[in-house]
Amino acid sequence: MCLGIPGRVIEIYDNGLTRMGKVDFNGIVKEVCLAYLPDLQVGDYTIVHVGFAITRLDEESARETLALFQSLGVLEEELNPDDSPRTT
Amino acid sequence: MTEPIDLSGWVCPAPLRDYSAIVLGHGAGGKLSAELIKHLFVPAFGGPHGPLTDAALLDVGGTRLAISTDSFVVRPLFFPGGNIGELAVNGTLNDIAMMGAQPLALTASFILEEGMPLDQLGLIAESMGRAAQQAGVTLIAGDTKVVDRGHGDGVYITTTGFGLIPAGITIGPDQARQGDAIILSGPIGLHGVAILSVREGIEFGAPVVSDTAALHGLVSAMLASGARIHTLRDPTRGGVAAALNEIAADAGIGIEIVERAIPVPPAVQAACELLGMDPLHIANEGKLIAFVEQADADRLLAAMHAHPLGREATIIGYATADHPGVVVARTAIGGMRVVDTLIGEQLPRIC
Amino acid sequence: MKYLDEFRDPELAQRLLDQIRRLTTRHWSIMEVCGGQTHSIIRNGIDQLLPPEIELIHGPGCPVCVTPLEIIDKALAIAARPDVIFCSFGDMLRVPGSHKDLFRVKSEGGDVRVVYSPLDAIKLAQQHPDRQVVFFGIGFETTAPANAMAVYQAARLGLKNFSMLVSHVRVPPAISAIMESPTNRVQAFLAAGHVCSVMGTEEYQPLVAKYRVPIVVTGFEPLDILEGIRRVVIQLEQGQAALDNAYERAVRPEGNVAAKQMLAEIFTVTDRAWRGIGVIPRSGWRLSDRYAEFDAERRFNVSDIQTSESPLCQSGEVLQGRIKPNQCPAFGKECTPRTPLGATMVSSEGACAAYYQYGRFIPTSNVSIAWKQ
């Protein structure tokens, strides 16, 4: 239900009504409302849904998650180089 | 050039039910368009041999003439990378080129809206002249009509092109064979995203310009390579998905493509992610798809890479005897999904 | 694209799939709540790559699909008015009402405009003070803060020509309704990642406790979905039932505090009818009394609506996960994306549309593609 895409904040300003920003998605720049993330800084990544930043993307957490995926199966591979499935 | 664009509506996708009147979806190049031609025009024009596509071959005492006609109603008239004029010239030249023909001449007719600024029209006309000149083609005849203010969206342009098909060339959608390599001449989605970026309601800053270009020079180089080319198609309205589906249906073959093999520029990918759209359904105006005898694929690629419009040409899949009429893609993570034509035009989504 | 492409890596996907295969010893039925997750699953072919013991039941998390027929008909009536500019997300344009859709209204002369953000509708209202601008405010909790901001700005700007047709829905009551159903087969949930970005995860703990069902907050990219499934399977295989967050980069337990404050200001919880399912108590939001003047239902007299749903349509059964789209007798026959009977065949994330579009059923040949691994 919720198409939310990560982008990088490149500019923050107030448009008279609320806190707005410019967010860069791989070269595509869109004006985004930042009202709901008052602590968001230029350089941060955020998830944008219908023109609103709804959450800060925690880059450290993203790296950790990917590292977890990388590590999956590594132990089994080391223990079972012949790749037979095990019911651990 | 980008003008301050004033748009008052969205070009629509398909409606849901059968209508008794034309809806915008009938013009989107998808299923509704095809149905309109098949069920209304073809029977009126004399049955199954009537026109089904916008290009045709006329045999004139042994000389084969390729003729194509196309209308251009794009909004906005001016977009990053070009304007309706260039589209009108290159679009029709490309239809001729996709038959393997070398274009000779173009005619152009204009429906002008009362109040259309002459300086804008001048820019459009100059662009057309330039595009024709670059293509080595002459605009030989034309017509203009004016309609009341409120009709005509500024200008509608119809161009008709004429070309000669060299002897020994038999290229057409029904010629594709199982086992053919499918080659895409370069990265997709540029034209469609350039248009979207200036559409009211979803404008965004984008380093994306339309890829509008005349392809007959590239086609010439491809034919000169000696590779056995069966089918050529420029994926315009409806994108690569529509083009592949039409060929699969016309030739009675199945198609398998690999998503990761399809070149998509990062900015196009980003725009599509943002709007929830699929690059395979987005229009291109300077790209072509070729179905070539598999053994000749490398030779053809080499010829394409040597041409400025084919530098990034790459194989994206193969024709197969399996699932005739259906286009299947291997997804990024190794699954499979069908690539179908949309009913009308793609809409941005939030879900 | 950064933080998207990495979560589509095919090699990592294989690792996750391997893990899931190693862990799975028996049949499990898992529901992904969010329509965006359904779309991702079908589009990427994840359902085909999972071991056959894992059954994914597609949930009702498609706001387009569950918007009540009556509201659609009201939208059509309002959009047809010559004084109205009707703004909507693209998703809603093709949803069938009793007799037509927004698209048809546009072709008949209605001023219907697709917008990307609700703030675009505010801009239109400022640009066209002589017209009534109405925004179709649908969505789950993810979209509600954006729609709320539009109303908030309209109030601050003193706009007299802006109103919103509100049809918001909430996930936790839907989960309750599913678990309370006597024919329920769902044994675990993948909770909707971006809904939780906004609302946090606290609302789900009582559901875990009450129904003893694992709930794992899950993202949308292939690796995120596979990870959500992996964590669910670990719990199921061990007989556990706990709340877990597999989308930590975008979800905090407390959610988005500023957004929740705005929701509390602009909206009030209400009973809501879900198309195809029925009324789920306290499952929706309406404008709070303080902002009632911006309610399009009040501003426009659209009370005299007679709805008529196709008797063949089984989207309700699909939305509740009771049947798969290709088990519906009308699927691919009377009901296709070209001639949809219900919203699930129209919405980009409706299960029926996904099944049809991505080929879980090829109507011409009546056989499925022989998927090669």
Side-chain angles (χ1 to χ4, degrees):
Chain A
M1 70 200 64
C2 312
L3 201 62
I5 303 300
R8 199 170 56 89
V9 180
I10 57 175
E11 200 187 318
I12 298 179
Y13 49 92
D14 192 301
N15 73 348
L17 267 184
T18 189
R19 193 163 182 259
M20 301 290 288
K22 290 242 192 315
V23 178
D24 179 351
F25 305 88
N26 242 52
I28 301 287
V29 177
K30 192 97 180 86
E31 190 182 51
V32 171
C33 181
L34 302 182
Y36 294 128
L37 294 173
D39 298 332
L40 201 64
Q41 304 293 318
V42 169
D44 283 349
Y45 276 83
T46 180
I47 304 245
V48 176
H49 171 71
V50 301
F52 280 74
I54 58 170
T55 185
R56 191 178 142 270
L57 188 145
D58 185 338
E59 295 185 70
E60 185 55 42
S61 175
R63 281 191 282 272
E64 282 168 19
T65 303
L66 288 166
L68 168 69
F69 296 159
Q70 291 279 0
S71 71
L72 284 176
V74 166
L75 189 59
E76 279 103 344
E77 281 161 18
E78 286 174 2
L79 292 179
N80 303 290
D82 62 351
D83 202 35
S84 47
R86 308 250 302 175
T87 51
T88 29
Chain B
M1 58 174 283
T2 42
E3 297 286 285
I5 309 293
D6 177 23
L7 304 166
S8 55
W10 176 252
V11 177
C12 80
L16 305 172
R17 319 248 155 111
D18 290 34
Y19 288 104
S20 56
I22 289 292
V23 291
L24 283 175
H26 282 118
K31 291 183 172 141
L32 272 190
S33 304
E35 282 177 21
L36 182 68
I37 294 168
K38 200 164 152 201
H39 297 302
L40 188 142
F41 286 110
V42 169
F45 291 168
H49 300 295
L52 288 176
T53 62
D54 51 14
L57 192 160
L58 213 58
D59 195 314
V60 184
T63 303
R64 292 181 303 161
L65 197 59
I67 305 179
S68 173
T69 191
D70 216 341
S71 299
F72 295 85
V73 300
V74 70
R75 282 181 296 167
L77 297 175
F78 294 88
F79 44 83
N83 63 59
I84 187 177
E86 275 136 316
L87 280 192
V89 167
N90 292 334
T92 293
L93 288 178
N94 290 345
D95 286 339
I96 300 283
M98 294 306 116
M99 298 173 69
Q102 282 304 299
L104 292 172
L106 286 175
T107 66
S109 69
F110 298 82
I111 296 180
L112 301 165
E113 181 185 2
E114 181 187 12
M116 166 80 182
L118 286 179
D119 53 356
Q120 281 188 23
L121 186 57
L123 282 168
I124 290 169
E126 274 167 20
S127 301
M128 291 177 74
R130 236 184 344 259
Q133 196 186 39
Q134 272 167 11
V137 164
T138 337
L139 277 156
I140 55 171
D143 181 63
T144 59
K145 293 286 183 294
V146 177
V147 293
D148 291 330
R149 192 183 299 265
H151 302 92
D153 274 335
V155 58
Y156 296 144
I157 305 177
T158 300
T159 45
T160 302
F162 305 85
L164 282 177
I165 304 178
I169 301 287
T170 312
I171 291 178
D174 56 343
Q175 298 296 308
R177 300 269 170 273
Q178 77 176 80
D180 280 356
I182 303 171
I183 292 178
L184 178 57
S185 66
I188 60 169
L190 292 162
H191 178 75
V193 168
I195 299 273
L196 278 173
S197 73
V198 291
R199 276 251 164 90
E200 180 198 63
I202 52 170
E203 49 286 84
F204 47 86
V208 171
V209 298
S210 171
D211 59 341
T212 177
L215 294 167
H216 58 285
L218 174 61
V219 170
S220 209
M222 289 164 71
L223 291 173
S225 75
R228 285 161 291 176
I229 300 171
H230 298 147
T231 306
L232 292 171
R233 173 65 57 91
D234 56 338
T236 55
R237 281 179 321 174
V240 169
L244 291 179
N245 271 280
E246 281 163 23
I247 295 168
D250 285 343
I253 46 154
I255 290 178
E256 279 184 26
I257 58 175
V258 177
E259 279 186 6
R260 279 185 178 265
I262 298 168
V264 182
V268 168
Q269 185 68 35
C272 288
E273 297 289 351
L274 205 53
L275 297 171
M277 293 174 142
D278 185 341
L280 287 176
H281 294 118
I282 298 204
N284 309 275
E285 290 288 338
K287 300 291 176 306
L288 62 79
I289 297 170
F291 281 65
V292 63
E293 192 73 37
Q294 203 179 120
D296 298 348
D298 286 339
R299 190 192 328 179
L300 184 56
L301 277 173
M304 292 175 81
H305 290 158
H307 190 279
L309 292 175
R311 298 254 186 266
E312 294 174 73
T314 185
I315 297 177
I316 61 167
Y318 293 91
T320 166
D322 299 336
H323 49 80
V326 180
V327 179
V328 167
R330 180 168 291 279
T331 71
I333 58 159
M336 299 286 268
R337 62 139 173 150
V338 165
V339 178
D340 200 0
T341 329
L342 295 181
I343 296 173
E345 194 174 308
Q346 207 173 185
L347 283 178
R349 60 185 176 96
I350 67 144
C351 294
Chain C
M1 274 186 76
K2 197 153 191 223
Y3 299 121
L4 268 194
D5 293 340
E6 303 92 325
F7 292 90
R8 296 174 180 175
D9 184 289
E11 211 201 285
L12 294 182
Q14 278 311 311
R15 283 178 192 261
L16 283 161
L17 282 163
D18 278 343
Q19 286 296 299
I20 294 169
R21 279 179 211 124
R22 284 172 202 267
L23 292 163
T24 305
T25 65
R26 41 172 286 205
H27 179 268
W28 299 114
S29 301
I30 303 169
M31 173 175 276
E32 88 277 2
V33 175
C34 177
Q37 291 165 336
T38 307
H39 185 100
S40 182
I41 286 165
I42 306 296
R43 186 226 175 287
N44 286 297
I46 292 173
D47 55 330
Q48 303 148 355
L49 296 169
L50 289 168
E53 296 90 343
I54 305 283
E55 183 192 351
L56 292 178
I57 298 182
H58 312 305
C62 165
V64 173
C65 303
V66 302
T67 301
L69 185 54
E70 194 183 20
I71 298 269
I72 304 282
D73 286 345
K74 288 186 183 179
L76 300 172
I78 294 171
R81 294 172 57 116
D83 57 329
V84 166
I85 299 176
F86 194 84
C87 304
S88 172
F89 299 125
D91 314 57
M92 297 307 291
L93 275 255
R94 306 179 218 180
V95 176
S98 295
H99 305 291
K100 50 175 86 167
D101 55 77
L102 277 173
F103 219 22
R104 172 104 177 243
V105 169
K106 179 174 167 29
S107 78
E108 290 170 353
D111 192 342
V112 178
R113 309 204 193 177
V114 170
V115 294
Y116 166 71
S117 163
L119 296 185
D120 297 330
I122 293 290
K123 279 193 209 132
L124 280 172
Q126 290 173 302
Q127 285 162 4
H128 299 274
D130 53 321
R131 309 276 300 283
Q132 283 288 326
V133 173
V134 181
F135 179 73
F136 203 173
I138 58 113
F140 275 85
E141 296 96 318
T142 323
T143 319
N147 295 346
M149 178 63 77
V151 174
Y152 183 75
Q153 286 193 357
R156 279 187 61 197
L157 290 167
L159 288 179
K160 296 290 169 231
N161 63 332
F162 177 84
S163 61
M164 189 174 293
L165 183 60
V166 177
S167 182
H168 272 293
V169 276
R170 301 174 53 222
V171 169
I175 290 181
S176 288
I178 286 162
M179 293 307 294
E180 300 276 349
S181 162
T183 53
N184 172 53
R185 293 184 303 113
V186 177
Q187 296 164 304
F189 290 90
L190 303 180
H194 291 147
V195 166
C196 294
S197 293
V198 171
M199 300 303 291
T201 58
E202 295 147 351
E203 300 181 291
Y204 296 85
Q205 191 52 59
L207 294 168
V208 168
K210 181 170 181 186
Y211 301 110
R212 279 217 28 92
V213 62
I215 298 182
V216 175
V217 180
T218 302
F220 300 83
E221 297 311 313
L223 296 193
D224 292 315
I225 291 180
L226 289 171
E227 172 65 356
I229 293 172
R230 184 186 76 92
R231 295 200 195 187
V232 157
V233 169
I234 290 175
Q235 287 200 40
L236 288 169
E237 290 282 337
Q238 294 176 358
Q240 289 173 349
L243 178 60
D244 190 11
N245 182 0
Y247 194 31
E248 282 181 300
R249 66 185 186 277
V251 175
R252 267 111 247 165
E254 69 278 10
N256 185 319
V257 173
K260 291 202 288 187
Q261 282 169 348
M262 180 67 86
L263 292 176
E265 164 77 8
I266 304 287
F267 291 120
T268 300
V269 172
T270 183
D271 296 341
R272 178 72 67 192
W274 292 48
R275 188 171 182 178
I277 297 174
V279 175
I280 302 180
R282 299 181 56 77
S283 66
W285 275 315
R286 61 171 177 82
L287 285 174
S288 62
D289 296 337
R290 192 154 163 221
Y291 294 89
E293 68 177 284
F294 296 102
D295 186 340
E297 278 186 88
R298 287 197 197 202
R299 193 175 290 196
F300 300 95
N301 184 8
V302 283
S303 45
D304 188 25
I305 300 275
Q306 300 285 345
T307 59
S308 141
E309 194 80 83
S310 160
L312 293 177
C313 176
Q314 295 193 19
S315 10
E317 299 296 292
V318 172
L319 285 166
Q320 292 171 81
R322 295 214 191 105
I323 62 169
K324 296 281 186 296
N326 49 8
Q327 292 168 324
C328 169
F331 181 85
K333 303 187 187 65
E334 295 91 339
C335 188
T336 68
R338 171 80 178 74
T339 53
L341 297 181
T344 46
M345 185 56 93
V346 168
S347 167
S348 55
E349 53 175 37
C352 300
Y355 268 54
Y356 195 99
Q357 174 83 3
Y358 297 123
R360 292 300 175 277
F361 168 66
I362 312 300
T364 49
S365 61
N366 213 20
V367 286
S368 290
I369 300 273
W371 306 109
K372 292 174 242 169
Q373 294 294 327

